[in-house]
Amino acid sequence: MTDGNGLPMGALLTAGQRHEAPFFADVMNQVRVPRATGRPRKRPEAVAGDRAYDSEENRRWCWRRNIESIIPARNGMHTGPGRPPTCDEEKYEQRNVIERLVGRLKERRRVATRYEKKASHYKAMLQWAFVGEYLKR
């Protein structure tokens, strides 16, 4: 997960063969953004994702928390009654921020090629890469 400026905010480690869409809510619940006063912010204004994140569960999760979901509908998935979900195209163009962050993280060989056997060690390397991203800015 990243913010709108391309700074990493959190990550969730899963098995390599698993799809990331079922873990959408877990990653979103993991992040807390501190404020100057008051409790940390847990709810973003909008969430952008590619077509792979288009599921009723993910859309319902966003709707319950009053978060705008900027996820385009998959082709042929919403054929039932009611209108298909919409996606703001201008906001969706900003989704490439996460793709650029992943590209920058994979410039580090230990993140791109997982050398560590334990997941906890790999997550430490990933967090180390996050620190590097913050220090660059």
Side-chain angles (χ1 to χ4, degrees), residues 22-52:
F23 302 101
F24 173 78
D26 296 334
V27 174
M28 294 297 295
N29 289 329
Q30 176 181 355
V31 175
R32 307 281 187 264
V33 178
R35 295 192 235 184
T37 59
R39 294 182 302 183
R41 184 174 170 90
K42 296 187 272 185
R43 185 176 55 84
E45 294 175 12
V47 173
D50 59 6
R51 292 180 194 273

Side-chain angles (χ1 to χ4, degrees), residues 60-76:
R60 224 177 291 126
W61 187 90
C62 290
W63 181 77
R64 275 190 236 121
R65 286 157 183 79
N66 199 22
I67 299 172
E68 180 185 6
S69 66
I70 305 168
I71 303 171
R74 286 189 276 171
N75 296 333

